[in-house]
Amino acid sequence: MNKEWNLPNLKSAQKRSQDETTIERSLFEIPESYLTIGQDKTYYIRTYGCQANERDSETIRGILEKMSFTQVFEIDKADVIVLNTCAIRENAENKVFGEIGNVKVIKQLNPDVLFMVGGCMTQEEGVVNRILSTYHQVDVLFGTHNIHRIPQLLIQAYFNKERVVEVFSKEGEIYENLPVSRNNKSKAWVNIMYGCDKFCTYCIVPYTRGKERSRLKEDILSEIDDLVQKDFKEITLLGQNVNAYGKDLGVTFDFADLLESVAQKDIPRVRFMTSHPWDFTDKLIKVIAKYKNVMPFIHLPLQSGNNEILKIMGRRYTKEAYMEIYHKLKARIPHIALSTDIIVGFPNETESQFCETLDMIDICQFDNVYSFIYSAREKTPAASMIDNVSKQEKEDRLQRLNKQIGKYALMHNLAMVGQTVLVLVDGPSKKNPLIFSGYTETNKLVNFSPVNECIGKIVSVEITSAKTWTLQGKQV
Ligand code: SAH
Ligand code: SF4
Ligand code: F3S
């Protein structure tokens, strides 16, 4: 193997020290002569996984556009192909391997295409070894900690015609001042922190993203000032556990304070993602209730309705503690919509433990639930637990769960028929260019017939009918 490669190592990625996070403000540079390297050339990027990855892809786009590449949306028309990958479950990884396979054909037709793979999957040694031994069409492998190095890696692969592998398995720094090319002109993702220190026993994220580290409030607020000036309508504050914001900085300014400072800006809609039930404070609930522009929608992952499973998952709350937050939120903000994540078929989950999860769905009546079958992830503690639940049993539980979920989603949507609600308009819907779509304050998807040019605006829409996952309406 090439000695200059930096290969990932999940064991070192797991380490956490007391060292302070370094903030790098001027590490990003593109040698002058390479600023025009992409002139007359195109790039294609495909993003898998969560909003953190979506936001990273906006940085990758910003970097490639600084190098004068132009984005295309058909993979076989591109000179540079980038896949920003997700490692959260095996089926997410299989999708990526399928796409890597497709690029082999593209490269056979055009060997000059440069193929880069990055994101959470390349932080796993198993994945990198598999790509290195089997998928020779991949030219550059980079990780989540060195996106700022893309110009150098690209140039090295391009001019030396060699494979380049650079993945760092470390706690991670914070990089400010990287270029960004945002996907959407009215909705923006803003990172408030990176990484995760919760180490839920099933989850790969703390290994692929490094330690929990918060951006300085000055940096966050100045990014938001810039977005306000550019007339953005919605900001989503991003972190794996936004409620832990500031803890690593050793200051008293916490997530509730940050949310309040953001809400005081002239921005119509503020959201945040993801809240862990741990660290969800009364102070935070107060801020959500106090500001009209903090949207009445919260994603609060439950994972399981059984305390024993929650404990083995390392979630650090009980279902009773979850219910306490739930009731406080519903009491302070009666119109609030809630969504959650559920994992079924965690190792050795019994039928009666699963039924407790179904009970929680009945009690909480979530507006939306993201449901997953447990997937063993390389080197996580749960992966070494012996599992006596069959694949078929897990699939059966998922189906039963989904039926229950759909029932409540439809119930909430039906209750909105006849109401007039505010919708931030994304643009023409996927299926019909004459119908526009957008989201309500409670994060419900609405398809409606527009009466004027309203993309990127907040308009009133009367809801005329409802399906389980969409609302139909007309602009008023
Ligand atoms: N930080 C967020 C979740 C990020 S991952 C939180 O803790 O709430 C998004 C969701 O993927 C998780 O909430 C969980 O439901 C699911 N997930 C994570 N690891 C998984 C695994 N190994 N198998 C199945 N689902 C998983
Ligand atoms: Fe994964 Fe748990 Fe961290 Fe969420 S809190 S990213 S589920 S380890
Ligand atoms: Fe996937 Fe990484 Fe996000 S594993 S869910 S892209 S943090």
Side-chain angles (χ1 to χ4, degrees), residues 196-200 202-206 240-241 276 303 315:
C196 180
D197 283 347
K198 298 287 184 284
F199 286 99
C200 302
Y202 51 81
C203 184
I204 192 80
V205 173
Q240 289 302 341
N241 296 292
H276 193 294
Q303 314 297 2
R315 289 294 288 180

Side-chain angles (χ1 to χ4, degrees), residues 40-60:
D40 307 320
K41 290 199 169 61
T42 56
Y43 75 91
Y44 168 91
I45 185 163
R46 179 155 177 199
T47 312
Y48 301 80
C50 65
Q51 288 79 6
N53 245 20
E54 293 288 347
R55 179 60 188 80
D56 281 353
S57 284
E58 294 182 336
T59 300
I60 298 171

